[in-house]
Amino acid sequence: MRRITLALTALILLTAASPTFAQAPATVPNTWSGVERIVAVGDVHGAYDEFFSALLAASVIDSHGNWIAGKTHLVQTGDIVDRGEHSRRCMDLMMKLEVQAAAAGGMVHQLLGNHEVMVMQKVYFYTTPADFASFGGRGAYARALSSEGDYGRWLRSRNAIIKINDVLFLHAGVPEKYASRSLDELNDGIRTGIDGGWSLGGLLGRGGPLWYRGWVSPDAAAVAAKCAGVFTALGVEHAVIGHTTKGIATFGQGRVILIDSAMTPSLKGEPSALVIEKGVYTAVHPGRAPQTLGVQDETPALARRKAA
């Protein structure tokens, strides 16, 4: 009888201390200003060596994988998992850098992409046998990515969309129907929905910020028009996104910068990073000269706001 009583007491205490993610999570900070240097990396998909080389080329880490970027903000725009073989090593690296960056006055932002949400919901369409094996098998992988697992808890505490200075960072794009939502509402809605079950609708679905491809089109005027309302509502001039494998490129008259260079070996792309510093946007690829993009950090609209 005493054992049963102790067990029930422990269960009650555990339940009280561990709210489920079906409840609305506490709002996580998602906006920063006055950041002098930002480095953003697109879809990694378990490509540890390629990810490492991109961070090395952008002077974020040294050859031992330690933070050397001072007050830089590093943003990974989601899809660090799936497709490749080393998702665990990639997440471990980001967790380590998160601590080291904070100690140096910088910050690491691991954003949520559609693949993070899929694996947390046990949708393994793109998970490789090597990824399962690195956790000790499929069951161990599921536990590690659950709401009670170390990796699952870490991912569930991340944002999907952040704003640094006048730049929006996210995985795919914000459809116009969500223009009235604040960053808090969008991020909290996505986090709350993770443990609600697999669905292709709503914020987590095909028409939401983790899947939307409306900002990637050769029709520059159409893309700029789609961005306009969202950018005005959120107070940004540009957006940096991943999700679509076209390399580092600009869309919507320079308002959208795509950074998914398909670095996973199976996709036959290349490692890359985007550096934003002193209003200059630079594409960095290991082994070749940096390329300055034709992006103005301050558009006429922003200049007018600052002068007012």
Side-chain angles (χ1 to χ4, degrees):
M1 184 67 180
R2 185 171 179 272
R3 289 182 181 177
I4 295 173
T5 302
L6 289 173
L8 287 172
T9 302
L11 179 60
I12 291 168
L13 289 173
L14 180 61
T15 303
S18 306
T20 68
F21 282 87
Q23 300 170 343
T27 297
V28 178
N30 51 46
T31 302
W32 293 264
S33 60
V35 178
E36 295 184 0
R37 185 173 188 262
I38 306 167
V39 175
V41 179
D43 303 43
V44 173
H45 284 305
Y48 179 81
D49 291 340
E50 290 76 10
F51 185 33
F52 193 99
S53 68
L55 296 179
L56 196 64
S59 299
V60 171
I61 60 173
D62 62 19
S63 59
H64 300 289
N66 292 311
W67 183 267
I68 59 169
K71 296 181 179 180
T72 294
H73 280 225
L74 169 64
V75 185
Q76 200 287 307
T77 57
D79 282 13
I80 197 169
V81 301
D82 269 353
R83 296 190 187 276
E85 299 183 348
H86 304 293
S87 297
R88 184 173 192 169
R89 292 181 70 193
C90 292
M91 288 190 286
D92 285 343
L93 177 60
M94 287 294 278
M95 290 179 182
K96 181 184 81 169
L97 294 179
E98 194 172 56
V99 175
Q100 293 181 344
M107 190 165 286
V108 168
H109 307 275
Q110 173 63 57
L111 302 186
L112 297 176
N114 57 309
H115 283 264
E116 280 76 40
V117 171
M118 282 196 290
V119 298
M120 284 190 282
Q121 294 184 328
K122 298 183 181 180
V123 178
Y124 302 142
F125 297 148
Y126 302 95
T127 310
T128 64
D131 253 359
F132 286 136
S134 70
F135 284 85
R138 187 183 180 111
Y141 180 85
R143 288 190 293 274
L145 274 298
S146 73
S147 60
E148 297 179 354
D150 289 343
Y151 295 89
R153 287 198 305 271
W154 180 68
L155 287 173
R156 283 169 175 80
S157 68
R158 305 299 95 183
N159 283 308
I161 313 171
I162 63 173
K163 174 183 170 182
I164 305 177
N165 300 337
D166 293 296
V167 184
L168 198 67
F169 294 85
L170 70 159
H171 186 60
V174 181
E176 295 166 278
K177 65 181 179 180
Y178 293 121
S180 63
R181 303 278 191 96
S182 68
L183 288 183
D184 287 343
E185 291 171 328
L186 290 168
N187 282 309
D188 289 350
I190 289 169
R191 279 191 295 267
T192 300
I194 288 172
D195 293 309
W198 170 246
S199 171
L200 290 178
L203 276 173
L204 274 64
R206 296 284 186 186
L210 306 182
W211 291 86
Y212 180 68
R213 297 188 194 272
W215 289 356
V216 179
S217 165
D219 189 337
V223 172
K226 289 178 181 179
C227 293
V230 174
F231 282 21
T232 298
L234 296 177
V236 298
E237 295 294 325
H238 300 285
V240 174
I241 63 173
H243 190 53
T244 302
T245 54
K246 293 182 179 293
I248 295 184
T250 61
F251 295 87
Q253 299 167 343
R255 303 200 74 184
V256 175
I257 301 94
L258 175 69
I259 59 170
D260 181 359
S261 60
M263 69 175 70
T264 313
S266 62
L267 296 178
K268 297 179 170 46
E270 59 179 339
S272 67
L274 174 72
V275 178
I276 307 173
E277 188 172 14
K278 297 179 180 178
V280 178
Y281 289 62
T282 304
V284 174
H285 299 84
R288 53 191 175 98
Q291 176 189 1
T292 301
L293 304 180
V295 177
Q296 289 185 332
D297 194 35
E298 186 169 290
T299 67
L302 177 58
R304 286 195 297 271
R305 285 211 306 270
K306 287 184 176 180

